[in-house]
Amino acid sequence: MTLPTGAAAALAALHSSPLPLQSEGSALDPVLAPIYYLLDLWSLLMTALGNATGLELLQYGFMHRAILVGLCIGVMAPLIGTFLVHRQLALIGDALAHTAFAGVAVGLFLNGVLSLGVSPYLTAVVVAVLAALLIEVISEVTDAYNDVSMAIVLSTGFALGTVLISLNAGGLAVGINQYLFGNLSTVSAENAAILLVLFAIIVGTVALTRNQLLYVTFDETAAEVSGIPVNWYNRVMVMLTALVVVGAMQIMGVILVAAMLVVPVAGASQVSRSFGESLLVSVVLAELAVLLGIGAAYYGEATAGGVIVLVAVAIYALAVVAGKLREARGDDEAPELGSIDAGEDAVAASD
């Protein structure tokens, strides 16, 4: 039997991948066992959908995991990105992506030199969260602007990653491309389970602290006067951003991961009138970009991260056109990025 071109290319990538695609006796297996069960249920659902629709990409387990990871990214990236964009912190994703790359290099280095068997994504989580806190600490201690602290952390993170790779180039450089550019075929069951844990933490934290984060986002001074610990919520936000970056890195890659924090939110801002509406629309646009991007990447044999970003940018361009057309028809003027009304939410946050 001859496999279709897309499936053959994906399966070839599976066999050439330097990392195992299924959990092989990981120390995390007992902890992640319930999530593995949910992944099995998801795979059964996708297989049934593939049989019903005849879609080739739904016939393979690695695509089931890639789609699930993509759907999670489509929710948590704009969920956090909406706060970041309206706080003019759009570039923090880039800074944390480069430090996450250093975290991956640390994990690969420990595995290659000390044979610890630790997941590079876990070391990426630890390093990215520490880097996020460092950005805030540098800003608070030195009174430097956020872009200065972000530039320092970005440079340090990427420098650390390149040094660790160069120290053991034979063992690390082989598999580093999948972290730089992302890869659908290397989303293992363990990595997908870790992503689901990160997803639950991010969504749960935002749900519990939404009003406070909203108040700090739109009026930091008033929030501080009203007794809200602004520095604490700033740290919560950057730590959540770090978790999003590491989670999205699996299919987006370090180089492009920040785009999903910004581009869907920028598109939603062109057609939305309130913060809540902007948040909802940005999630819809992100999910659309992810699903179309994954499908196009699979059948076109292209890098998923790059295709997803190009689709997201195309959707952004359409949103800009839609906003201008609405303005030309005599509707209210399209809102400037970052000027969306917080509505009643900000009032509730101040209570």
Side-chain angles (χ1 to χ4, degrees):
M1 177 182 176
T2 302
L3 286 174
T5 304
L11 291 175
L14 287 177
H15 292 300
S16 63
S17 170
L19 294 178
L21 296 181
Q22 300 292 342
S23 179
E24 297 182 352
S26 168
L28 293 175
D29 282 353
V31 178
L32 298 177
I35 304 179
Y36 290 151
Y37 177 72
L38 294 177
L39 289 176
D40 288 339
L41 293 179
W42 171 259
S43 188
L44 289 174
L45 176 62
M46 289 293 99
T47 300
L49 183 60
N51 292 335
T53 61
L55 288 175
E56 174 196 323
L57 81 167
L58 295 180
Q59 303 299 322
Y60 302 101
F62 69 90
M63 287 303 299
H64 300 163
R65 294 189 293 271
I67 292 171
L68 179 60
V69 168
L71 290 174
C72 290
I73 293 170
V75 173
M76 63 187 190
L79 179 65
I80 299 301
T82 302
F83 289 98
L84 296 178
V85 168
H86 290 95
R87 298 178 69 177
Q88 299 181 347
L89 289 175
L91 292 180
I92 193 173
D94 259 332
L96 294 178
H98 284 75
T99 58
F101 168 74
V104 168
V106 169
L108 293 175
F109 183 81
L110 292 175
N111 291 340
V113 176
L114 302 178
S115 300
L116 292 183
V118 64
S119 170
Y121 283 108
L122 286 182
T123 56
V125 169
V126 174
V127 173
V129 169
L130 291 176
L133 292 174
L134 184 60
I135 289 174
E136 283 298 309
V137 169
I138 291 175
S139 297
E140 293 170 9
V141 173
T142 66
D143 293 326
Y145 292 109
N146 272 326
D147 58 345
V148 174
S149 59
M150 283 189 283
I152 293 172
V153 171
L154 183 153
S155 303
T156 304
F158 206 67
L160 176 60
T162 54
V163 168
L164 290 176
I165 291 171
S166 66
L167 289 176
N168 190 25
L172 301 188
V174 175
I176 205 66
N177 278 351
Q178 71 183 55
Y179 298 104
L180 288 174
F181 304 106
N183 195 329
L184 292 177
S185 65
T186 56
V187 180
S188 68
E190 181 181 86
N191 291 338
I194 292 173
L195 183 279
L196 289 176
V197 173
L198 297 180
F199 177 82
I201 292 172
I202 292 165
V203 174
T205 302
V206 172
L208 292 174
T209 63
R210 179 179 181 274
N211 285 343
Q212 291 84 353
L213 291 175
L214 189 63
Y215 200 10
V216 172
T217 295
F218 282 92
D219 197 337
E220 189 171 293
T221 302
E224 191 167 9
V225 170
S226 67
I228 293 177
V230 171
N231 288 341
W232 165 253
Y233 284 104
N234 284 337
R235 290 169 186 168
V236 168
M237 180 53 59
V238 294
M239 286 191 291
L240 292 177
T241 305
L243 298 184
V244 171
V245 165
V246 174
M249 187 172 61
Q250 297 188 58
I251 64 174
M252 298 301 300
V254 167
I255 296 176
L256 297 173
V257 66
M260 291 305 291
L261 287 164
V262 177
V263 179
V265 178
S269 298
Q270 298 298 314
V271 295
S272 303
R273 298 297 175 184
S274 68
F275 185 87
E277 183 182 345
S278 174
L279 182 57
L280 178 61
V281 173
S282 64
V283 169
V284 172
L285 297 185
E287 295 289 14
L288 187 60
V290 165
L291 293 176
L292 292 177
I294 288 178
Y298 177 81
Y299 289 107
E301 301 180 26
T303 302
V307 176
I308 291 172
V309 171
L310 289 176
V311 173
V313 171
I315 293 174
Y316 165 74
L318 292 176
V320 172
V321 172
K324 295 300 180 183
L325 289 176
R326 185 170 65 179
E327 181 182 349
R329 287 200 308 266
D331 292 349
D332 293 337
E333 206 171 300
E336 294 290 335
L337 190 64
S339 65
I340 288 179
D341 182 21
E344 297 178 358
D345 296 322
V347 176
S350 63
D351 294 338

